[in-house]
Amino acid sequence: DADEPAALEDLRAYLRERRPNALLSNRDRSGRLLAHLSPRERPRSVLRIGTNVVEKLGKKNIFVRARARRQLADAFAAADALIGISDGACAALRQLLADRDAPPVHRIYNCIDLEEANRLAAQPVPHPWLTDKDRPVILSVGRLVRVKDYPTLIKAFRRVRERRDCRLLILGEGRQRPRLEKLVRKLHLQEDVSLPGFDANPFAYMRRADVFALSSLFEGFGHVLIEALAVGLPCVATDCRSGPDEILGYGEYGRIASAGDHRALADALLATLSSPPDAGFLREALRRFTPETAVAAYLRVLGLTPAP
């Protein structure tokens, strides 16, 4: 990129002045700067990758895919260690670097502050379907983009609606909005599907909904699922790569449907509406996602605490 030389000089100046013991990068583009630094210029450097890189590259235009793959591989290979946010994301990193002298890859899950989640969940919710609820509400939260595959969720909801009087609320904003609104009209679901836009506090919606649905084609982790579990909301997710099946314990803490299959997703939603799991049981899934666990793992990988 045109601004890369300036960014590299800024990084060198920062390292000379501050002399940190370790460097953690959370962005692909900033990670690429490491490849330009000699081992003498930098401390132990770790890259955190928050997506499934193989799936992400597969969605790119074929003409830019090879270049993007090479740039990512160069950046990742230059690090002292890599962090993936799920087992699937780690497997994708190892696949990308299969022909390189690659650094070790560590899996560290995202975490959630339960106290803060429940504080936010207690706040008022602005949507009338949840303030004066007269029927079950299926909730989904995320950007309105292709990878979230909301068309499959809307088609699944139509099948659910044929057998159960309920509503679908999709919280988020994005460039797919016109297409989704057109599909809702085409399926004559305007009275039962709402796309109210983005809200910074999804927990208030989650506390009052009946089922959470994640219909993605791929994820790096699927953090929104642990947000839903934190307030005891039953979850249904697709078996996309990667993260959701790990979060839901491969079906123990929530039903899993095949990605892109609206019939399977509808069946999972109906079954969960009919027989939701206990909220206390769902919170057991969160024992793997505590801040204390994540912080200890990051410190170990960064070399800032002795190994156990």
Side-chain angles (χ1 to χ4, degrees), residues 91-285:
L93 286 170
R94 295 186 183 101
Q95 180 181 340
L96 178 73
L97 297 170
D99 59 349
R100 302 287 187 109
D101 183 13
V105 179
H106 304 267
R107 188 261 288 147
I108 303 179
Y109 285 134
N110 289 345
C111 61
I112 189 165
D113 183 336
L114 283 176
E115 183 177 339
E116 178 67 4
N118 282 283
R119 183 189 71 79
L120 291 170
Q123 294 183 2
V125 66
H127 201 285
W129 289 359
L130 296 172
T131 55
D132 187 22
K133 191 166 70 170
D134 60 357
R135 69 196 77 174
V137 173
I138 299 168
L139 174 69
S140 193
V141 178
R143 293 172 298 129
L144 306 185
V145 293
R146 192 182 68 83
V147 71
K148 301 299 181 181
D149 197 15
Y150 288 122
T152 288
L153 176 57
I154 293 169
K155 292 173 186 176
F157 174 74
R158 180 181 63 170
R159 293 179 65 87
V160 172
R161 185 68 179 78
E162 290 171 354
R163 297 172 58 184
R164 184 78 180 256
D165 189 10
C166 59
R167 285 167 162 163
L168 172 64
L169 199 161
I170 301 175
L171 196 64
E173 197 53 82
R175 58 182 176 271
Q176 288 274 304
R177 173 177 285 278
R179 180 188 177 193
L180 299 177
E181 291 175 336
K182 181 179 179 180
L183 178 60
V184 169
R185 292 191 299 270
K186 178 181 178 181
L187 300 179
H188 307 291
L189 295 172
Q190 298 96 312
E191 298 300 317
D192 296 308
V193 176
S194 175
L195 288 81
F198 171 79
D199 194 303
N201 180 15
F203 294 100
Y205 294 77
M206 292 172 174
R207 171 66 61 83
R208 295 160 179 84
D210 296 272
V211 179
F212 185 85
L214 184 145
S215 54
S216 298
L217 296 172
F218 81 90
E219 292 278 350
F221 181 65
H223 187 82
V224 70
L225 288 173
I226 66 171
E227 293 178 339
L229 292 172
V231 297
L233 178 61
C235 295
V236 170
T238 53
D239 61 353
C240 67
R241 299 178 183 177
S242 47
D245 51 358
E246 295 176 47
I247 294 171
L248 296 182
Y250 298 92
E252 182 178 3
Y253 298 107
R255 290 177 172 85
I256 297 172
S258 297
D261 186 339
H262 70 276
R263 293 178 177 84
L265 184 57
D267 290 343
L269 289 168
L270 281 166
T272 304
L273 283 169
S274 298
S275 183
D278 176 73
F281 173 72
L282 293 178
R283 292 189 182 96
E284 291 181 12

Side-chain angles (χ1 to χ4, degrees), residues 7-36:
L8 181 59
E9 187 53 41
D10 287 343
L11 177 59
R12 284 189 167 118
Y14 171 84
L15 294 174
R16 287 193 300 267
E17 178 183 350
R18 302 298 295 270
R19 298 185 180 277
N21 294 318
L23 186 66
L24 175 65
S25 172
N26 193 43
R27 300 289 295 179
D28 296 344
R29 293 178 67 185
S30 59
R32 293 210 308 260
L33 299 178
L34 291 178
H36 299 289

